[in-house]
Amino acid sequence: MPATDIGSSERLLAELRGWVEHETPTTDPVAVSALIGRAEAELRGVGGAVERVAGRNGYGDNLICRTPGEGRPVLVAGHLDTVWDHGTLASSMPWRVEGDKAHGPGIYDMKAGSFAAFHSVREILRQKVKTRRPITLLLTPDEEVGSPTSRAIIEAEAQKACAVLIPEPAGAGGACVTARKGVGRFVMTIAGRSAHAGGNWQDGRSAVVALARKILEIHALTDLPGGTTTNVAPVFGGTRPNVVPPEAGCEIDFRVATVEDGIRIEQAIKAMAGDDGDGITITVTGGMNRPPMVETPAALALYERARGFAAEHGYELPKQYRGGGSDGNFSAALGVPTLDGLGCTGAGAHAPFEHIIWRDLAPRCATLCALLETIEG
């Protein structure tokens, strides 16, 4: 059995509460960086080699902590930002424990998992446990908006690593993740020509009508058997019912199972841009945000190791192919063995009923810690 004593679920929950009650919306870099600072102080206090990367472009800081050892490290990476605005804790989602469920903004996605990664590394350092490979802990500030400032750091650290562990929330039945869809985002804006909707309708060019046609084209790109989905939302356009709308637009989300499908969908949506010759001009910005995370033999080997540790700690660990993206997409696309979804069980990511099953904190954390101790590359 691994040597690190990670403590009881009760102990972990008590400290995790402090992280949850420190609200960290992605849009508040000061709040996110303050929680980064708390983690930094703890890790420095037990001898971690800590590097803090200043935030930019309106996002918080990144934190990198390295443990001693030889060879390519094991990277464990999590984000501290959440989708919840300040005041959520005091209004619609107060901290509360009801039976086996602990509730609070961001507790499931993904403060419980990021805390487990932090706690595991801190205890390995504090207890002076010798690991087979050094460990790199990376805590980031902007995953919920696509990791615009942390992606380069994630990829740089992943390229140095022999394996990557991502403690994003566990899926249904406590499943970890061996594959994910790729994710793309676009913004489409349409310029038309305004006119009085009664007096000179024929002089107008409705941007809303043009957008409606494009929405149907985008929807038709969906291929459920092939794993491709598209979604258009939100949508905007027009000012008053008696004015032919001169502008309209939307955001587009698409998910794909393969790199090739990503290229195909990206090209199809970008090809919708241009001037139709009759007063309508379409502009498209964006593209692939996260490449697909494809299941590989190396990822399956990591999974089998994790499944063995889970059994030692008294629970089953199924695996899952998940439609949502994570920072694990980046490392997997670089060819680095990646295992995702190693966080706590629960439900309600981005939803008002967000919660974890807090009694699973210790066994799930113990499995993550065991992986950090024993992966040999």
Side-chain angles (χ1 to χ4, degrees), residues 257-281:
T258 68
V259 172
E260 292 75 19
D261 284 339
I263 293 170
R264 178 176 58 82
I265 298 297
E266 189 172 41
Q267 290 176 342
I269 294 176
K270 285 183 175 179
M272 296 178 186
D275 189 335
D276 75 349
D278 190 34
I280 294 291
T281 301

Side-chain angles (χ1 to χ4, degrees), residues 6-10 12 313 358-367:
I6 57 93
S8 67
S9 290
E10 289 82 358
L12 296 177
H313 293 106
W358 68 265
R359 296 187 192 279
D360 289 343
L361 280 169
R364 300 285 300 198
C365 185
T367 293

